[in-house]
Amino acid sequence: MTAIASSLAPPQKILLATDLRSHGDRALDRAAQLAQQWQVPLHVVHVQSCPAEDELSPINQPSWRQGYSSPVLVERQIRRDLRQEIADLTIHVADGNPADAILETAVQQGCDLIVLGASEPSSPSALGRVTEQLLRKSPASLLVVKSRPHDAYANVVVGTDFTAESRFGLTTAAKWFPAARLALMHVLDIPYTSLWLDAEHSSDLARMEMATMRSFLDDTPLAADVKERVVPLIEHGHPEIVLRDHVMREEADLVVISAFRRGLAFHLLVGGTSRRIVPAVPSDVLLVRAQQ
């Protein structure tokens, strides 16, 4: 297997990060479904934010809890909540800062995909603090789950800005989800377009954009039959709004975006798009961490 083919292979280990609250059940179900689909080990990490609460003496503990340590209770709940049997399942209970503990577990266990639930419904327009930190720091790809999974991903939208990392995102999506319909979307945000671009020049611009899209597809290392089922889309507007509207209209179940792992300056200037897309779209979002 070539280095390129190996880098595009589905994840070899999945890490689910859960706080055991109800909104994390969808992420648990999706992580289990992907582990079954790819036949890979599933690791689950729960970070105790207040470990002191779990150090109650047996006298002060409720009767149902006496004799059980916190890790035992966590493992029991996770196994009870799983809808399907996972052959290779490992559960970790950690203390400390949630994002740091999740990243440390991912590195220690060699996980190349981190799965977590979306932020609380009370803040739909903003990322949760843990998700924000993972988007910025994680060396692994990150899947933010919002929808309850019923089957494998079937309708996938891949965002592209014609860069090398967005090409990696497309090839990764095609490899990870070979049976899914693929839409490749480029969103051009032109301020005040209607004030300076008339109908004739707008048509010329659309043709140029589609030609660029076709050239991008031609240069992407995909099998011919895969390229034939990729639907190219050119849209104008704010990326997060256009993607949100497309997901709702076409009932897409996954949006794929990609980025290199770069410094803080890159995330402030460019990565802000990812931080806007993740909370804006109603579907699950996969951030593919492209290799340098």
Side-chain angles (χ1 to χ4, degrees):
M1 181 180 292
T2 66
I4 293 177
S6 177
S7 67
L8 295 176
Q12 298 303 297
K13 292 182 181 179
I14 298 173
L15 176 65
L16 167 71
T18 179
D19 59 7
L20 300 181
R21 287 185 281 184
S22 58
H23 69 273
D25 289 349
R26 299 180 179 187
L28 176 63
D29 290 345
R30 178 57 74 182
Q33 180 268 313
L34 290 173
Q36 292 281 61
Q37 177 181 340
W38 294 327
Q39 292 296 292
V40 298
L42 174 62
H43 290 258
V44 181
V45 60
H46 170 68
V47 183
Q48 300 178 125
S49 57
C50 298
E53 295 179 359
D54 293 316
E55 301 302 328
L56 298 172
S57 67
I59 296 177
N60 295 327
Q61 288 184 358
S63 59
W64 62 268
R65 193 170 178 179
Q66 291 180 19
Y68 291 96
S69 64
S70 179
V72 171
L73 294 173
V74 169
E75 179 165 354
R76 188 169 67 180
Q77 178 173 338
I78 290 170
R79 291 187 181 277
R80 183 177 64 243
D81 291 344
L82 278 169
R83 295 186 176 186
Q84 51 190 306
E85 187 70 24
I86 303 298
D88 195 342
L89 174 67
T90 306
I91 297 172
H92 310 266
V93 179
D95 297 326
N97 175 273
D100 291 342
I102 292 167
L103 291 174
E104 182 179 357
T105 304
V107 171
Q108 288 179 347
Q109 302 302 323
C111 299
D112 37 9
L113 175 64
I114 298 175
V115 181
L116 73 161
S119 58
E120 290 285 2
S122 59
S123 56
S125 62
L127 287 174
R129 182 172 58 183
V130 173
T131 306
E132 170 84 23
Q133 293 181 57
L134 292 177
L135 278 174
R136 185 161 58 88
K137 297 180 179 180
S138 174
S141 296
L142 186 69
L143 175 63
V144 180
V145 177
K146 300 182 180 184
S147 303
R148 186 170 302 284
H150 299 289
D151 209 337
Y153 288 119
N155 190 351
V156 177
V157 185
V158 182
T160 181
D161 54 4
F162 305 135
T163 57
E165 53 261 56
S166 66
R167 174 175 283 114
F168 187 88
L170 174 59
T171 51
T172 299
K175 186 71 174 182
W176 288 14
F177 315 110
R181 298 187 299 276
L182 294 174
L184 181 64
M185 177 179 289
H186 174 64
V187 183
L188 187 61
D189 188 4
I190 306 177
Y192 310 109
T193 306
S194 60
L195 297 180
W196 62 270
L197 198 61
D198 57 30
E200 180 180 354
H201 288 91
S202 180
S203 298
D204 291 340
L205 178 61
R207 284 192 291 271
M208 291 173 57
E209 291 174 323
M210 187 54 70
T212 303
M213 174 74 83
R214 294 292 184 187
S215 177
F216 177 83
L217 269 173
D218 289 342
D219 293 338
T220 301
L222 294 174
D225 62 323
V226 176
K227 289 184 180 181
E228 289 177 357
R229 61 184 177 87
V230 175
V231 179
L233 300 171
I234 301 290
E235 302 285 354
H236 292 169
H238 298 296
E240 66 274 18
I241 296 175
V242 173
L243 280 167
R244 180 200 65 194
D245 292 347
H246 178 86
V247 166
M248 296 175 65
R249 183 175 63 251
E250 301 298 330
E251 298 184 337
D253 48 20
L254 180 66
V255 168
V256 178
I257 51 181
S258 52
F260 288 130
R261 186 168 180 241
R262 294 171 173 165
L264 180 60
F266 171 80
H267 288 281
L268 291 175
L269 296 173
V270 181
T273 302
S274 300
R275 295 200 298 271
R276 294 195 303 272
I277 289 173
V278 173
V281 300
S283 66
D284 296 357
V285 181
L286 172 63
L287 177 73
V288 175
R289 192 66 74 187
Q291 297 181 353
Q292 296 283 15

